[in-house]
Coordinates of all heavy atoms in Angstrom, one line a residue:
M11 N 24.2 12.7 -13.6 CA 23.1 13.5 -12.9 C 22.4 12.5 -11.9 O 21.9 11.5 -12.3 CB 22.1 14.1 -14.0 CG 21.2 15.1 -13.4 SD 20.1 15.8 -14.6 CE 21.2 17.0 -15.3
R12 N 22.2 13.0 -10.7 CA 21.6 12.2 -9.6 C 20.0 12.2 -9.9 O 19.5 13.2 -10.1 CB 21.9 12.8 -8.3 CG 21.4 12.0 -7.1 CD 22.5 11.1 -6.6 NE 21.9 10.1 -5.7 CZ 22.1 10.1 -4.4 NH1 22.7 11.1 -3.8 NH2 21.6 9.2 -3.6
K13 N 19.4 11.1 -9.7 CA 18.0 10.9 -9.9 C 17.2 11.3 -8.6 O 17.6 10.9 -7.5 CB 17.6 9.5 -10.3 CG 16.2 9.3 -10.7 CD 15.8 7.9 -10.9 CE 16.6 7.3 -12.1 NZ 16.1 6.0 -12.4
V14 N 16.1 11.9 -8.8 CA 15.2 12.3 -7.6 C 13.8 11.8 -8.1 O 13.3 12.2 -9.2 CB 15.2 13.8 -7.3 CG1 14.1 14.1 -6.3 CG2 16.5 14.2 -6.8
V15 N 13.2 11.0 -7.3 CA 11.8 10.6 -7.6 C 10.8 11.4 -6.8 O 10.9 11.7 -5.7 CB 11.7 9.1 -7.1 CG1 10.2 8.6 -7.4 CG2 12.7 8.2 -7.7
M16 N 9.8 11.9 -7.7 CA 8.8 12.7 -7.1 C 7.6 11.9 -6.8 O 7.0 11.3 -7.7 CB 8.4 13.8 -8.1 CG 7.3 14.8 -7.7 SD 8.0 15.9 -6.4 CE 6.5 16.8 -6.0
A17 N 7.3 11.7 -5.4 CA 6.2 11.0 -5.0 C 4.8 11.6 -5.2 O 4.2 12.1 -4.3 CB 6.4 10.5 -3.6
S18 N 4.5 11.8 -6.5 CA 3.3 12.5 -6.8 C 2.8 12.1 -8.3 O 3.7 11.8 -9.1 CB 3.5 14.0 -6.8 OG 2.3 14.7 -7.2
G19 N 1.5 12.2 -8.5 CA 1.0 12.0 -9.9 C 0.6 13.3 -10.5 O 0.1 13.3 -11.6
N20 N 0.7 14.3 -9.7 CA 0.3 15.7 -10.1 C 1.3 16.3 -11.1 O 2.4 16.6 -10.7 CB 0.1 16.6 -8.8 CG -0.3 18.0 -9.1 OD1 0.2 18.6 -10.0 ND2 -1.3 18.4 -8.4
K21 N 1.0 16.5 -12.3 CA 1.8 16.9 -13.4 C 2.3 18.3 -13.1 O 3.4 18.6 -13.5 CB 1.1 16.9 -14.7 CG 0.8 15.5 -15.2 CD 0.1 15.5 -16.6 CE -0.2 14.0 -17.0 NZ -1.0 14.1 -18.4
G22 N 1.5 19.2 -12.5 CA 2.0 20.5 -12.2 C 3.1 20.4 -11.1 O 4.1 21.2 -11.2
K23 N 3.0 19.6 -10.1 CA 4.0 19.5 -9.0 C 5.3 18.9 -9.6 O 6.4 19.3 -9.3 CB 3.5 18.7 -7.9 CG 2.5 19.4 -7.1 CD 2.0 18.5 -5.9 CE 0.9 19.1 -5.0 NZ 0.6 18.4 -3.9
I24 N 5.1 17.9 -10.5 CA 6.3 17.3 -11.1 C 7.1 18.3 -12.0 O 8.3 18.5 -12.0 CB 5.9 16.1 -11.9 CG1 5.4 14.9 -11.0 CG2 7.1 15.6 -12.7 CD1 4.6 13.8 -11.7
K25 N 6.3 19.1 -12.7 CA 6.9 20.2 -13.6 C 7.7 21.2 -12.7 O 8.7 21.6 -13.1 CB 5.8 20.9 -14.4 CG 6.3 22.0 -15.3 CD 5.2 22.6 -16.2 CE 5.6 23.7 -17.1 NZ 5.9 24.9 -16.5
E26 N 7.0 21.6 -11.6 CA 7.7 22.6 -10.7 C 9.0 22.0 -10.1 O 10.0 22.7 -10.1 CB 6.7 23.0 -9.6 CG 5.7 24.0 -10.0 CD 4.9 24.4 -8.8 OE1 4.8 23.7 -7.7 OE2 4.3 25.5 -8.8
A27 N 8.9 20.8 -9.7 CA 10.1 20.0 -9.2 C 11.2 20.0 -10.2 O 12.4 20.3 -9.9 CB 9.7 18.7 -8.7
K28 N 10.8 19.7 -11.5 CA 11.9 19.7 -12.5 C 12.6 21.1 -12.7 O 13.7 21.1 -13.0 CB 11.3 19.1 -13.8 CG 11.0 17.7 -13.8 CD 10.4 17.2 -15.0 CE 10.2 15.6 -15.0 NZ 9.9 15.0 -16.2
E29 N 11.7 22.1 -12.6 CA 12.2 23.4 -12.8 C 13.1 23.8 -11.7 O 14.1 24.5 -11.8 CB 11.1 24.4 -13.0 CG 10.3 24.2 -14.3 CD 9.1 25.1 -14.3 OE1 8.8 25.7 -13.3 OE2 8.4 25.0 -15.4
I30 N 12.7 23.6 -10.5 CA 13.4 24.0 -9.3 C 14.7 23.2 -9.1 O 15.8 23.7 -8.7 CB 12.6 23.9 -8.1 CG1 11.4 25.0 -8.1 CG2 13.3 24.1 -6.7 CD1 10.3 24.7 -7.1
L31 N 14.6 21.9 -9.3 CA 15.7 21.0 -9.1 C 16.5 20.7 -10.4 O 16.7 19.5 -10.8 CB 15.2 19.7 -8.4 CG 14.5 19.9 -7.0 CD1 13.9 18.6 -6.6 CD2 15.5 20.4 -6.0
N32 N 16.7 21.6 -11.2 CA 17.2 21.4 -12.6 C 18.6 20.8 -12.6 O 19.0 20.3 -13.6 CB 17.2 22.6 -13.4 CG 18.0 23.8 -12.7 OD1 18.8 23.6 -11.9 ND2 17.7 25.0 -13.2
E33 N 19.3 20.6 -11.5 CA 20.5 20.0 -11.4 C 20.5 18.5 -11.2 O 21.4 17.7 -11.1 CB 21.5 20.6 -10.4 CG 21.2 20.4 -9.0 CD 20.1 21.4 -8.4 OE1 19.6 22.2 -9.2 OE2 20.0 21.5 -7.2
Y34 N 19.2 18.1 -11.0 CA 18.9 16.6 -10.9 C 18.0 16.1 -12.0 O 17.3 16.9 -12.6 CB 18.1 16.4 -9.5 CG 18.9 16.8 -8.2 CD1 18.9 18.0 -7.7 CD2 19.7 15.8 -7.6 CE1 19.6 18.3 -6.6 CE2 20.4 16.1 -6.5 CZ 20.4 17.4 -6.0 OH 21.2 17.7 -4.9
E35 N 18.0 14.8 -12.1 CA 17.0 14.2 -13.1 C 15.8 13.9 -12.2 O 15.8 12.9 -11.5 CB 17.7 12.9 -13.6 CG 16.7 12.2 -14.6 CD 17.2 10.7 -14.9 OE1 18.3 10.3 -14.5 OE2 16.4 10.1 -15.6
V36 N 14.8 14.6 -12.3 CA 13.5 14.4 -11.6 C 12.6 13.6 -12.4 O 12.4 13.9 -13.6 CB 12.8 15.8 -11.2 CG1 11.5 15.6 -10.6 CG2 13.8 16.7 -10.4
V37 N 12.2 12.4 -11.8 CA 11.3 11.5 -12.5 C 10.1 11.3 -11.6 O 10.1 11.3 -10.4 CB 12.0 10.2 -12.9 CG1 13.1 10.3 -13.8 CG2 12.5 9.5 -11.6
S38 N 8.9 11.0 -12.3 CA 7.7 10.8 -11.5 C 7.6 9.3 -11.2 O 8.3 8.4 -11.8 CB 6.4 11.2 -12.4 OG 6.4 10.3 -13.4
M39 N 6.7 9.0 -10.2 CA 6.4 7.6 -9.9 C 5.9 6.8 -11.2 O 6.3 5.7 -11.4 CB 5.3 7.6 -8.8 CG 5.6 8.1 -7.5 SD 4.2 8.2 -6.4 CE 3.0 7.3 -7.0
K40 N 5.1 7.6 -11.9 CA 4.6 6.9 -13.1 C 5.6 6.6 -14.1 O 5.6 5.5 -14.7 CB 3.6 7.9 -13.8 CG 2.8 7.3 -15.0 CD 1.8 8.3 -15.5 CE 1.1 7.6 -16.7 NZ 0.0 8.5 -17.2
E41 N 6.6 7.4 -14.3 CA 7.7 7.0 -15.2 C 8.5 5.8 -14.7 O 9.1 5.1 -15.6 CB 8.7 8.2 -15.3 CG 8.1 9.5 -16.0 CD 9.1 10.6 -15.9 OE1 9.0 11.4 -14.9 OE2 9.9 10.7 -16.8
L42 N 8.5 5.5 -13.5 CA 9.1 4.3 -13.0 C 8.2 3.1 -12.8 O 8.6 2.0 -12.3 CB 9.7 4.6 -11.6 CG 10.8 5.6 -11.6 CD1 11.3 5.9 -10.1 CD2 12.0 5.2 -12.5
G43 N 6.9 3.3 -13.2 CA 5.9 2.2 -13.2 C 5.4 2.0 -11.8 O 4.9 0.9 -11.5
I44 N 5.5 3.0 -10.9 CA 5.0 2.8 -9.6 C 3.5 3.4 -9.5 O 3.4 4.5 -9.9 CB 6.0 3.6 -8.5 CG1 7.2 3.0 -8.6 CG2 5.3 3.5 -7.1 CD1 8.3 3.9 -7.8
D45 N 2.6 2.6 -9.1 CA 1.2 2.9 -9.1 C 0.7 2.6 -7.7 O -0.1 1.7 -7.4 CB 0.4 2.3 -10.0 CG -1.0 2.7 -10.1 OD1 -1.3 3.8 -9.7 OD2 -1.9 2.0 -10.6
I46 N 1.1 3.5 -6.6 CA 0.7 3.3 -5.3 C -0.1 4.5 -4.9 O 0.3 5.6 -5.1 CB 1.9 3.1 -4.3 CG1 2.6 1.8 -4.8 CG2 1.5 3.0 -2.9 CD1 4.0 1.7 -4.0
D47 N -1.2 4.3 -4.3 CA -2.1 5.4 -3.7 C -1.9 5.4 -2.2 O -2.4 4.6 -1.5 CB -3.5 5.2 -4.1 CG -4.3 6.4 -3.7 OD1 -3.8 7.6 -3.7 OD2 -5.6 6.2 -3.6
V48 N -1.1 6.3 -1.7 CA -0.8 6.5 -0.3 C -1.9 7.2 0.4 O -2.2 8.4 0.0 CB 0.6 7.1 0.0 CG1 0.8 7.3 1.5 CG2 1.7 6.4 -0.7
E49 N -2.6 6.7 1.3 CA -3.6 7.4 2.1 C -3.0 8.5 2.9 O -2.2 8.5 3.6 CB -4.3 6.4 3.1 CG -5.5 7.1 3.8 CD -6.2 6.2 4.7 OE1 -5.8 5.0 4.9 OE2 -7.2 6.7 5.4
E50 N -3.6 9.7 2.6 CA -3.2 10.9 3.2 C -4.0 11.3 4.5 O -5.0 12.0 4.5 CB -3.4 12.1 2.2 CG -2.5 12.0 1.0 CD -2.7 13.2 0.1 OE1 -3.1 14.2 0.4 OE2 -2.2 13.0 -1.1
D51 N -3.6 10.6 5.5 CA -4.3 10.6 6.8 C -3.5 11.3 8.0 O -4.0 11.2 9.1 CB -4.8 9.2 7.2 CG -3.6 8.2 7.3 OD1 -2.5 8.7 7.1 OD2 -3.9 7.1 7.7
G52 N -2.6 12.0 7.5 CA -1.8 12.7 8.5 C -2.5 13.9 9.1 O -3.5 14.4 8.5
K53 N -2.0 14.5 10.2 CA -2.6 15.6 10.8 C -2.1 16.9 10.1 O -2.8 17.9 10.4 CB -2.3 15.6 12.3 CG -2.9 14.5 13.0 CD -2.6 14.5 14.5 CE -3.0 13.2 15.1 NZ -4.1 13.2 16.0
T54 N -1.1 16.9 9.4 CA -0.5 18.1 8.7 C -0.2 17.8 7.3 O -0.1 16.6 6.9 CB 0.7 18.6 9.4 OG1 1.8 17.6 9.3 CG2 0.4 18.9 10.9
F55 N 0.0 18.9 6.5 CA 0.4 18.6 5.1 C 1.8 18.1 5.2 O 2.2 17.2 4.3 CB 0.4 20.1 4.4 CG -0.9 20.6 4.2 CD1 -1.1 22.0 4.6 CD2 -2.0 20.0 3.7 CE1 -2.4 22.5 4.4 CE2 -3.2 20.5 3.6 CZ -3.4 21.8 4.0
A56 N 2.7 18.5 6.0 CA 4.0 18.0 6.1 C 4.1 16.5 6.4 O 4.8 15.7 5.9 CB 4.9 18.8 7.1
G57 N 3.2 16.1 7.4 CA 3.0 14.7 7.7 C 2.6 13.8 6.5 O 3.1 12.7 6.3
N58 N 1.7 14.3 5.8 CA 1.2 13.6 4.6 C 2.4 13.5 3.6 O 2.5 12.4 2.9 CB 0.1 14.2 3.9 CG -1.2 14.0 4.7 OD1 -1.4 13.0 5.3 ND2 -2.3 14.9 4.6
A59 N 3.1 14.5 3.3 CA 4.2 14.6 2.3 C 5.3 13.6 2.8 O 5.8 12.8 1.9 CB 4.8 15.9 2.2
E60 N 5.6 13.6 4.1 CA 6.6 12.7 4.5 C 6.1 11.2 4.4 O 6.9 10.4 4.0 CB 6.9 13.0 6.0 CG 7.9 12.0 6.6 CD 8.3 12.3 8.0 OE1 7.9 13.3 8.6 OE2 9.1 11.5 8.6
K61 N 4.9 10.9 4.7 CA 4.3 9.7 4.6 C 4.5 9.1 3.1 O 4.9 8.0 2.9 CB 2.9 9.5 5.1 CG 2.3 8.2 5.0 CD 0.9 8.1 5.5 CE 0.3 6.7 5.4 NZ -1.1 6.7 5.9
K62 N 4.0 10.0 2.2 CA 4.1 9.5 0.8 C 5.5 9.3 0.3 O 5.8 8.2 -0.3 CB 3.5 10.7 -0.1 CG 2.1 10.8 -0.1 CD 1.4 11.7 -1.1 CE 1.6 13.1 -0.7 NZ 0.9 14.1 -1.6
A63 N 6.4 10.1 0.7 CA 7.8 9.9 0.3 C 8.4 8.6 0.9 O 9.0 7.8 0.2 CB 8.7 11.1 0.7
R64 N 8.1 8.4 2.2 CA 8.6 7.2 2.8 C 8.0 5.9 2.1 O 8.7 4.9 2.0 CB 8.3 7.2 4.3 CG 9.1 8.1 5.0 CD 8.9 8.1 6.6 NE 9.6 9.0 7.3 CZ 11.0 9.0 7.6 NH1 11.5 7.8 7.3 NH2 11.6 9.8 8.3
E65 N 6.7 5.9 1.9 CA 6.1 4.7 1.3 C 6.6 4.4 -0.1 O 6.8 3.3 -0.4 CB 4.6 4.9 1.3 CG 3.9 4.9 2.6 CD 4.0 3.5 3.3 OE1 3.9 2.5 2.7 OE2 4.3 3.5 4.5
I66 N 6.9 5.5 -0.8 CA 7.4 5.2 -2.3 C 8.8 4.8 -2.1 O 9.2 3.9 -2.9 CB 7.2 6.5 -3.1 CG1 5.8 6.9 -3.3 CG2 7.9 6.3 -4.4 CD1 4.8 5.8 -3.7
A67 N 9.6 5.4 -1.2 CA 11.0 4.9 -1.0 C 11.1 3.5 -0.7 O 12.1 2.8 -1.1 CB 11.6 5.8 0.1
K68 N 10.1 2.9 -0.1 CA 10.2 1.5 0.3 C 10.2 0.7 -0.9 O 10.7 -0.5 -0.8 CB 9.0 1.1 1.2 CG 9.1 1.6 2.6 CD 7.8 1.2 3.3 CE 7.8 1.9 4.8 NZ 6.5 1.5 5.4
T69 N 9.7 1.1 -2.0 CA 9.6 0.3 -3.2 C 10.9 0.5 -4.1 O 11.0 -0.3 -5.1 CB 8.4 0.7 -4.1 OG1 8.6 2.0 -4.7 CG2 7.1 0.6 -3.2
L70 N 11.9 1.3 -3.7 CA 13.0 1.6 -4.5 C 14.3 1.1 -3.8 O 14.1 0.7 -2.7 CB 13.0 3.1 -4.8 CG 11.7 3.7 -5.6 CD1 11.8 5.2 -5.5 CD2 11.8 3.1 -6.9
S71 N 15.3 1.3 -4.4 CA 16.6 0.9 -3.8 C 17.6 2.1 -3.8 O 18.5 2.1 -4.6 CB 17.2 -0.4 -4.6 OG 17.4 -0.1 -5.8
G72 N 17.4 2.9 -2.8 CA 18.4 4.0 -2.6 C 18.1 5.3 -3.3 O 18.9 6.3 -3.1
E73 N 17.1 5.4 -4.1 CA 16.9 6.7 -4.8 C 16.4 7.7 -3.8 O 15.7 7.4 -2.9 CB 15.9 6.5 -6.0 CG 16.4 5.9 -7.2 CD 16.3 4.4 -7.1 OE1 15.8 3.9 -6.1 OE2 16.6 3.7 -8.2
I74 N 16.7 9.0 -4.1 CA 16.1 10.1 -3.3 C 14.6 10.2 -3.7 O 14.3 10.2 -4.8 CB 16.9 11.4 -3.6 CG1 18.4 11.4 -3.2 CG2 16.1 12.6 -2.9 CD1 19.2 12.5 -3.7
V75 N 13.8 10.3 -2.7 CA 12.3 10.5 -3.0 C 11.9 11.8 -2.3 O 12.2 12.0 -1.1 CB 11.5 9.3 -2.5 CG1 10.0 9.5 -2.8 CG2 12.0 8.0 -3.1
I76 N 11.2 12.6 -3.0 CA 10.6 13.8 -2.4 C 9.1 13.9 -2.6 O 8.6 13.2 -3.5 CB 11.2 15.2 -3.0 CG1 11.0 15.2 -4.5 CG2 12.7 15.2 -2.6 CD1 11.4 16.5 -5.0
S77 N 8.4 14.6 -1.9 CA 6.9 14.7 -1.9 C 6.4 16.1 -1.5 O 7.3 16.8 -0.8 CB 6.2 13.6 -1.1 OG 4.9 13.7 -1.3
D78 N 5.4 16.5 -1.9 CA 4.8 17.8 -1.5 C 3.2 17.5 -1.3 O 2.6 16.8 -2.0 CB 5.0 18.8 -2.7 CG 4.2 20.1 -2.3 OD1 4.5 20.7 -1.4 OD2 3.2 20.4 -3.1
D79 N 2.8 18.2 -0.2 CA 1.3 18.1 0.0 C 0.9 19.5 0.4 O 1.6 20.2 1.3 CB 0.9 17.1 1.1 CG -0.5 16.8 1.2 OD1 -1.1 16.7 0.2 OD2 -1.0 16.7 2.3
S80 N -0.1 20.0 -0.2 CA -0.6 21.3 0.1 C -2.1 21.4 0.0 O -2.7 20.5 -0.4 CB 0.1 22.4 -0.7 OG -0.3 22.0 -2.2
G81 N -2.6 22.5 0.6 CA -4.1 22.5 0.5 C -4.5 24.0 0.9 O -3.6 24.8 1.3
I82 N -5.7 24.2 1.0 CA -6.2 25.5 1.5 C -6.9 25.3 2.8 O -7.7 24.4 3.1 CB -7.2 26.1 0.5 CG1 -6.6 26.3 -0.8 CG2 -7.9 27.4 1.0 CD1 -7.5 26.7 -1.9
E83 N -6.6 26.1 3.8 CA -7.2 26.1 5.2 C -7.9 27.5 5.3 O -7.3 28.6 5.1 CB -6.1 26.0 6.3 CG -5.4 24.6 6.2 CD -4.6 24.4 7.4 OE1 -4.4 25.3 8.2 OE2 -3.8 23.4 7.5
I84 N -9.1 27.4 5.8 CA -9.9 28.7 5.9 C -10.0 29.0 7.4 O -10.6 28.2 8.2 CB -11.3 28.4 5.3 CG1 -11.2 28.0 3.9 CG2 -12.2 29.7 5.5 CD1 -12.5 27.5 3.2
E85 N -9.3 30.1 7.7 CA -9.2 30.5 9.2 C -10.4 30.7 9.8 O -10.6 30.3 11.0 CB -8.3 31.7 9.1 CG -7.7 32.1 10.5 CD -6.7 33.2 10.6 OE1 -5.8 33.2 9.7 OE2 -7.0 34.1 11.3
V86 N -11.4 31.4 9.1 CA -12.7 31.7 9.8 C -13.5 30.4 10.0 O -14.4 30.4 10.9 CB -13.4 32.7 8.9 CG1 -14.0 32.1 7.6 CG2 -14.6 33.4 9.6
L87 N -13.2 29.3 9.3 CA -13.9 28.1 9.6 C -13.0 27.1 10.4 O -13.0 25.9 10.3 CB -14.2 27.4 8.2 CG -15.2 28.1 7.4 CD1 -15.4 27.4 6.0 CD2 -16.5 28.4 8.1
D88 N -12.1 27.7 11.3 CA -11.3 26.9 12.2 C -10.3 26.0 11.5 O -10.1 24.9 11.8 CB -12.1 26.2 13.2 CG -12.8 27.1 14.2 OD1 -12.3 28.1 14.6 OD2 -14.0 26.8 14.6
G89 N -9.8 26.4 10.4 CA -8.8 25.8 9.6 C -9.4 24.7 8.7 O -8.7 23.9 8.1
F90 N -10.7 24.6 8.5 CA -11.3 23.7 7.5 C -10.8 23.8 6.1 O -10.4 24.9 5.7 CB -12.8 23.8 7.5 CG -13.5 23.0 6.5 CD1 -13.8 21.6 6.7 CD2 -13.9 23.5 5.3 CE1 -14.4 20.9 5.8 CE2 -14.6 22.8 4.3 CZ -14.8 21.4 4.5

């Protein structure tokens, strides 16, 4: 079974990834002893997710790394 590393400490996101990607062995950063806090300074949720995955991938040797970033934007407050 191919391993996928979830670049997140969020237990809910990790649980969801394990359910969705059930044909892979999904492991968290914590399970691998990785304790890196990537600054989420991107302009978009996708940009932040990509940054997290790339930063964590730098610490590994060839594993697939995925990440998710989401939030709430309030249209009436100009996307705040």
Side-chain angles (χ1 to χ4, degrees):
M11 186 177 285
R12 186 94 193 257
K13 185 187 302 186
V14 173
V15 178
M16 183 70 184
S18 177
N20 182 308
K21 291 180 182 179
K23 288 182 181 181
I24 295 164
K25 181 178 181 282
E26 281 183 340
K28 287 182 178 190
E29 291 170 357
I30 294 168
L31 302 170
N32 58 16
E33 68 274 11
Y34 295 91
E35 176 191 2
V36 177
V37 296
S38 69
M39 296 173 14
K40 184 176 182 178
E41 290 175 273
L42 297 177
I44 300 170
D45 186 24
I46 298 173
D47 187 26
V48 178
E49 184 178 358
E50 297 181 19
D51 57 358
K53 295 182 191 248
T54 65
F55 296 131
N58 283 332
E60 181 178 350
K61 181 178 179 184
K62 285 190 281 188
R64 288 184 183 277
E65 289 299 314
I66 299 310
K68 288 179 186 177
T69 69
L70 302 169
S71 57
E73 286 88 356
I74 297 169
V75 181
I76 62 173
S77 181
D78 172 62
D79 192 40
S80 58
I82 298 171
E83 293 183 6
I84 303 169
E85 195 172 308
V86 73
L87 296 177
D88 295 322
F90 173 79

